Amino acid sequence: MGVLTRNAKRNRLSGEGVYKMRMITALFLPFIITTMLIELTPGPNMAWLALTSATQGKRSGFAAVAGIATGLAILALASAMGLAALAARSPFAFSLLRYAGAAYLLWLAWQTWVGEQEVATGEIDTTAMAAWFRHGLLLNLLNPKAAVFFVTVLPAYIVTNAPIAPQTILLSACYVAIATAMHLVIVALAAQAHGWMTVGNRRNQVRRIFAVLLAMVAIWFLVSTA
């Protein structure tokens, strides 16, 4: 009788495990589709990467993508620790991130206008690559939309009666991978215009246009995160 009870209990637990796995699998594909649709929607990251790659070249764009990917990974970790939820649900913290992100974009626009972010030709040194990585990292950390994704969208695709940590890690990794892949495509396409933009007298004109467009992206950032 005891053996039958243990077997029944084991079968029940096994059945629950299969059910949970099916639930997780059923939610995974919709999450991937949702993530792709969100990333295909034009936003400040996309616009900034396109401008950077077209004016600074694909190496700078790739460094910026690495910074953005690192920022997303940090936000995923912060979400797991509850920090992203605090930022997304606190009006003050959310506004602080919005204005800090816009201010950083405006600062980059001013640097570009006065010539401190010259359009580079030829080899780009390690210092320049580190700078573009830092810009991508900071812009993404100061983007409240990314924090909101990890707080409001991602939890909707987690099965609550199954271990949450492995699901969170898997979905977060998938989101970072999809976003990074799309950002790399944007960089590769936008960089095709780099050669034309940096020939002769076009360089200074492109720098000024880039500065104005960056300022417009800053305003777009504020509007899109309102």
Side-chain angles (χ1 to χ4, degrees):
M1 192 68 178
V3 173
L4 292 175
T5 302
R6 284 196 297 271
N7 287 338
K9 185 177 181 180
R10 191 180 300 115
N11 291 335
R12 180 174 60 81
L13 292 174
S14 176
E16 289 177 355
V18 172
Y19 173 75
K20 291 176 182 177
M21 284 302 300
R22 286 177 178 173
M23 287 290 294
I24 293 171
T25 304
L27 289 174
F28 185 70
L29 182 58
F31 173 80
I32 296 298
I33 295 173
T34 301
T35 299
M36 292 180 68
L37 291 175
I38 290 174
E39 287 303 309
L40 286 172
T41 303
N45 269 351
M46 189 181 293
W48 178 72
L49 277 175
L51 290 172
T52 297
S53 304
T55 57
Q56 303 292 330
K58 64 181 179 181
R59 291 185 62 192
S60 296
F62 289 150
V65 169
I68 290 174
T70 303
L72 286 175
I74 292 174
L75 285 175
L77 178 61
S79 176
M81 297 172 63
L83 298 177
L86 176 63
R89 292 170 184 167
S90 168
F92 174 77
F94 190 87
S95 296
L96 187 63
L97 285 175
R98 286 180 64 234
Y99 289 116
Y104 191 70
L105 277 169
L106 289 173
W107 177 73
L108 288 178
W110 172 249
Q111 277 199 320
T112 303
W113 181 269
V114 298
E116 294 180 29
Q117 291 263 78
E118 285 289 343
V119 179
T121 56
E123 291 297 320
I124 303 176
D125 60 23
T126 305
T127 303
M129 292 294 97
W132 286 108
F133 175 88
R134 185 176 66 253
H135 293 330
L137 174 64
L138 289 177
L139 284 173
N140 214 64
L141 290 178
L142 296 174
N143 184 359
K145 290 180 69 176
V148 168
F149 175 87
F150 287 109
V151 173
T152 61
V153 178
L154 189 145
Y157 296 90
I158 289 179
V159 178
T160 55
N161 59 348
I164 293 176
Q167 296 180 72
T168 302
I169 293 172
L170 174 63
L171 295 182
S172 297
C174 288
Y175 173 69
V176 173
I178 291 171
T180 301
M182 292 189 174
H183 292 159
L184 289 173
V185 171
I186 291 170
V187 168
L189 293 176
Q192 300 300 314
H194 175 63
W196 180 87
M197 287 185 171
T198 56
V199 174
N201 295 328
R202 296 194 190 108
R203 186 181 304 177
N204 288 333
Q205 297 173 352
V206 167
R207 192 186 75 236
R208 295 294 176 89
I209 293 172
F210 184 36
V212 173
L213 291 176
L214 270 179
M216 293 174 64
V217 170
I219 296 171
W220 182 13
F221 177 87
L222 281 176
V223 172
S224 65
T225 56

